[in-house]
Amino acid sequence: MGPTMVVLTAVLLMLSRDVLGGGGHDYGQALSKSILFFEAQRSGHLPSTQRVTWRSNSGLSDGKSSGVDLVGGYYDAGDNVKFGLPMAFTVTMMSWGILEYGKQMAGGGELGHAMEAVKWGTDYFIKAHPEPNVLYGEVGDGNTDHYCWQRPEDMTTDRRAYQIDQNNPGSDLAGETAAAMAAASMVFRHSDPSYSAELLRHAEQLFEFADKYRGKYDGSITVAQKYYQSVSGYDDELLWAAAWLYQATEEPAYLDYLATNGDSLGGTGWAMTEFGWDVKYAGVQTLVAKFLMQGKAGHHEQVFEQYQQKAESFMCACLGKGSKTVQKTPGGLIFRQSWNNMQFVTSASFLATVYSDYLSSSRKTLKCDSSDVKPSELLSFAQSQVDYILGDNPRGTSYMVGYGNNYPSQVHHRGASIVSIKVDSSFVTCRGGYATWYSRKASDPNLLTGAIVGGPDAYDNFADQRENYEQTEPATYNNAPLLGVLARLHGGDNGFNQLSGVVLPTLKAVVTKATPPSTTSSPSINIEQKLTASWTAKGQTYYRYSARVTNNSDKTLKSLNILVSRLYGPLWGLTKTGDSYGFPSWIKSLPAGKSLEFVYIHASSQAQVSVWEYTLA
């Protein structure tokens, strides 16, 4: 189809939509599906609540060669690498969506699932940050991983872990992870206060690390350069982290940081037309504009007005009413690049949505070059982008897998394109996967429900072919910004003042504890934990926990393997073997009805302790 025909088709489509009164999409269903996609991207021990049943455990030795537990987290896209920078941005954006539109998510029954998706990421970040100035930023290597086409459960590729530290800095990576932890700390503030406090402590340490030891992370983790190069540098992430830490703490020092460094770090200078995992300026400027509209600027009002001017420049560019203009396809979709363009569409749509609500709440209009713009026009723009994604486009294609009747069926995704290990456990070799599964011209055997793929080209053309990775590969950071937009479109504004601070509906504490391999749910072995002491040293509070393991069976416990996760200190009373713990050296067995006790100390809430394997005789 040529450009002229595409334009004509687009015009006819827009006319038909005007007659029909809009696309009539089920935004609630789209929200449910977009959250479900994150379960397909999980690495590690999958929980008993896992809903994407064609996936199984993977990456169970991640971090082992480096002497650290890095099991868990998310695969970024269609491969099996865990890249820290886009993963952190994903968690930040999911958290932001929850903080703005958690009530709407709760109304659709999705708040709990959204919080679980955030926690799957933050649990991993806690592990990846074992010391104040150490952060693991990648597991696996893109070069060796892309040489193979294997489902995550079979992968034989290098799972080396890569870190930043004070001698090998990464301010962009540490800053984005600090932002993610700070944003998530607010998500869990009411449902799990101790976990929230733990996240905030990590966020504060990571920001201090990022600011004190400055450098680009891809200069330290060079294997990331080909895949997630930090083109924008780290200035934007430092401001981004400070903005989120101010939201989480309301400490004036973070507000002062934004004001003092607004010029030198580019917050008041850069007028952007993109927002994503690399370039955060538009996001920072939107948050600072929010602080200004909330009346929190204090004596920094003049500087914060400069941030707001740049935020509004971004919004006006999206609407085509500013000195800068965002390119769009004939069908009306934001277009920035041919490779995974949808990431920019969803992130811009989110910023437009929240800024529309900020303006409405403050009873203000958007100041563009040609005229003032009503907040509703920003929201309509965001809705037009979402409707395009869901099928209102010249091709009539839904770019969300599993939504509508016409969506991509050959997604560039290893797990989706290879038969589930639960259906056929035959090992898929590194190169054999390419020969057998990648080259198939049939639909994927597993439906990657909710995935937002890369999307069409500059003329609305799209080829549903697995090898067409620029258009058919999904990514977590495509979906993350969309959660909030879909919740807003589905649930409406409910007359809520978006500047007053959302209090999330009360939920039971989110539980995402994994079920380890070979674990049985037998009541034979019982584990009880309790806090036995606490003290403060050098401003840090430490806790001593006691755990009692009881043999409730009528037989002798001959062997025992216990998994202990989220442990950040020493443990006494068990013998460590590999990734698990067994009987201490002075105990060979545990008679019926008897117990053993072990203790551990760390500066956090209690660790997760579970039985892996045991033998009764």
Side-chain angles (χ1 to χ4, degrees):
M1 184 184 295
T4 303
M5 183 60 71
V6 169
V7 173
L8 179 59
T9 305
V11 171
L12 291 173
L13 177 70
M14 297 305 171
L15 288 173
S16 68
R17 283 188 60 199
D18 287 341
V19 173
L20 294 173
H25 288 289
D26 187 340
Y27 299 121
Q29 180 193 126
L31 173 63
S32 300
K33 292 178 183 293
S34 63
I35 296 174
L36 193 62
F37 166 66
F38 290 98
E39 295 194 15
Q41 297 302 106
R42 285 172 169 172
S43 180
H45 297 290
L46 301 187
S48 58
T49 55
Q50 174 79 10
R51 295 176 294 164
V52 179
T53 55
W54 50 266
R55 280 295 322 283
S56 191
N57 300 331
S58 61
L60 301 184
S61 296
D62 284 357
K64 187 175 182 179
S65 61
S66 300
V68 63
D69 175 11
L70 295 176
V71 176
Y74 287 111
Y75 303 118
D76 70 306
D79 54 23
N80 299 327
V81 184
K82 295 191 299 203
F83 292 101
L85 185 58
M87 193 194 305
F89 177 72
T90 293
V91 170
T92 306
M93 294 308 296
M94 284 196 290
S95 298
W96 195 357
I98 292 170
L99 293 171
E100 299 286 354
Y101 303 113
K103 287 191 175 182
Q104 289 91 332
M105 289 182 187
E110 291 298 333
L111 179 58
H113 291 139
M115 291 172 69
E116 287 177 1
V118 169
K119 192 170 186 292
W120 194 267
T122 52
D123 280 352
Y124 172 78
F125 293 145
I126 290 172
K127 293 179 176 183
H129 183 226
E131 300 174 35
N133 295 336
V134 174
L135 176 64
Y136 285 87
E138 183 171 331
V139 178
D141 165 25
N143 293 330
T144 57
D145 182 90
H146 287 204
Y147 180 75
C148 296
W149 194 264
Q150 292 174 293
R151 55 196 173 198
E153 295 83 359
D154 284 331
M155 60 183 171
T156 55
T157 49
D158 182 14
R159 300 301 291 174
R160 193 178 313 170
Y162 300 87
Q163 71 176 60
I164 56 173
D165 53 42
Q166 60 193 50
N167 297 317
N168 303 280
S171 300
D172 28 25
L173 173 64
E176 180 60 70
T177 310
M181 302 286 244
S185 75
M186 291 184 282
V187 170
F188 296 101
R189 180 166 290 165
H190 298 290
S191 64
D192 193 343
S194 63
Y195 186 66
S196 172
E198 184 179 3
L199 294 177
L200 190 55
R201 178 172 59 84
H202 281 279
E204 291 170 335
Q205 289 181 354
L206 282 164
F207 176 69
E208 184 178 350
F209 170 39
D211 192 39
K212 185 176 181 180
Y213 301 100
R214 296 191 181 187
K216 286 176 58 177
Y217 94 103
D218 55 14
S220 299
I221 304 178
T222 56
V223 292
Q225 290 179 0
K226 184 178 176 181
Y227 303 94
Y228 290 101
Q229 183 180 5
S230 182
V231 177
S232 72
Y234 55 77
D235 290 357
D236 51 338
E237 276 87 7
L238 291 176
L239 294 173
W240 180 239
W244 278 110
L245 278 161
Y246 174 70
Q247 282 227 115
T249 66
E250 294 199 344
E251 287 286 341
Y254 295 115
L255 211 61
D256 294 342
Y257 187 95
L258 289 164
T260 304
N261 296 283
D263 183 35
S264 62
L265 297 181
T268 58
W270 286 106
M272 307 304 300
T273 56
E274 70 171 279
F275 173 56
W277 60 262
D278 182 29
V279 185
K280 314 293 163 49
Y281 283 114
V284 174
Q285 291 153 356
T286 299
L287 282 176
V288 174
K290 178 184 181 181
F291 303 157
L292 184 64
M293 286 186 269
Q294 287 175 316
K296 295 180 177 180
H299 62 282
H300 300 311
E301 186 170 338
Q302 188 173 359
V303 177
F304 283 11
E305 284 175 350
Q306 296 176 50
Y307 276 96
Q308 185 177 28
Q309 289 167 7
K310 297 303 185 289
E312 299 211 338
S313 173
F314 176 86
M315 306 302 163
C316 295
C318 289
L319 295 175
K321 296 186 176 183
S323 57
K324 293 187 176 183
T325 302
V326 173
Q327 181 184 346
K328 294 177 184 173
T329 69
L333 184 75
I334 287 177
F335 186 82
R336 182 162 189 87
Q337 64 183 39
S338 58
W339 189 337
N340 189 17
N341 180 65
M342 280 302 184
Q343 62 181 301
F344 303 108
V345 178
T346 60
S347 57
S349 298
F350 180 83
L351 290 187
T353 299
V354 294
Y355 203 72
S356 169
D357 284 337
Y358 296 162
L359 290 172
S360 295
S361 297
S362 61
R363 301 183 184 278
K364 294 182 178 179
T365 56
L366 174 64
K367 308 293 183 183
C368 292
D369 287 355
S370 56
S371 63
D372 288 359
V373 177
K374 293 181 179 179
S376 57
E377 194 169 334
L378 269 178
L379 186 61
S380 295
F381 159 75
Q383 184 172 7
S384 74
Q385 299 301 294
V386 172
D387 287 348
Y388 185 109
I389 292 172
L390 297 180
D392 289 357
N393 54 65
R395 287 180 50 87
T397 297
S398 166
Y399 294 103
M400 176 184 284
V401 177
Y403 180 90
N405 299 316
N406 179 25
Y407 49 80
S409 63
Q410 293 189 32
V411 185
H412 185 89
H413 188 277
R414 286 156 176 76
S417 67
I418 302 174
V419 65
S420 170
I421 196 168
K422 296 180 180 180
V423 174
D424 184 352
S425 61
S426 301
F427 178 70
V428 177
T429 64
C430 170
R431 301 304 292 174
Y434 272 110
T436 304
W437 296 103
Y438 179 80
S439 59
R440 284 175 79 241
K441 300 305 177 185
S443 298
D444 296 331
N446 307 307
L447 188 65
L448 194 64
T449 302
I452 304 294
V453 298
D457 66 12
Y459 299 101
D460 300 298
N461 297 314
F462 177 79
D464 183 14
Q465 299 166 351
R466 193 168 295 113
E467 64 271 19
N468 180 22
Y469 55 84
E470 290 191 346
Q471 295 188 328
T472 63
E473 186 171 20
T476 55
Y477 44 90
N478 294 7
N479 279 60
L482 202 59
L483 304 192
V485 186
L486 289 169
R488 173 64 171 84
L489 294 176
H490 175 62
D493 63 7
N494 297 325
F496 183 74
N497 184 341
Q498 212 69 26
L499 297 175
S500 64
V502 175
V503 177
L504 298 178
T506 302
L507 290 178
K508 293 181 179 179
V510 178
V511 178
T512 58
K513 186 167 70 174
T515 302
S518 304
T519 293
T520 65
S521 300
S522 167
S524 300
I525 311 299
N526 183 59
I527 299 176
E528 292 181 332
Q529 294 196 71
K530 63 180 179 180
L531 175 65
T532 58
S534 65
W535 62 94
T536 301
K538 296 183 179 179
Q540 178 69 62
T541 303
Y542 295 89
Y543 305 92
R544 180 186 186 276
Y545 296 94
S546 170
R548 181 180 293 272
V549 181
T550 303
N551 179 7
N552 286 336
S553 74
D554 57 0
K555 298 181 180 180
T556 298
L557 184 63
K558 290 292 188 181
S559 65
L560 175 68
N561 272 318
I562 291 176
L563 285 180
V564 183
S565 59
R566 288 179 59 189
L567 173 64
Y568 316 111
L571 180 151
W572 298 272
L574 295 176
T575 300
K576 188 169 186 180
T577 306
D579 292 332
S580 66
Y581 294 85
F583 285 136
S585 58
W586 58 88
I587 294 179
K588 302 301 181 185
S589 63
L590 193 64
K594 298 296 183 179
S595 302
L596 66 86
E597 188 173 347
F598 64 92
V599 298
Y600 60 90
I601 294 173
H602 66 180
S604 184
S605 54
Q606 69 180 32
Q608 293 181 344
V609 181
S610 56
V611 177
W612 184 348
E613 295 175 323
Y614 63 91
T615 303
L616 297 172

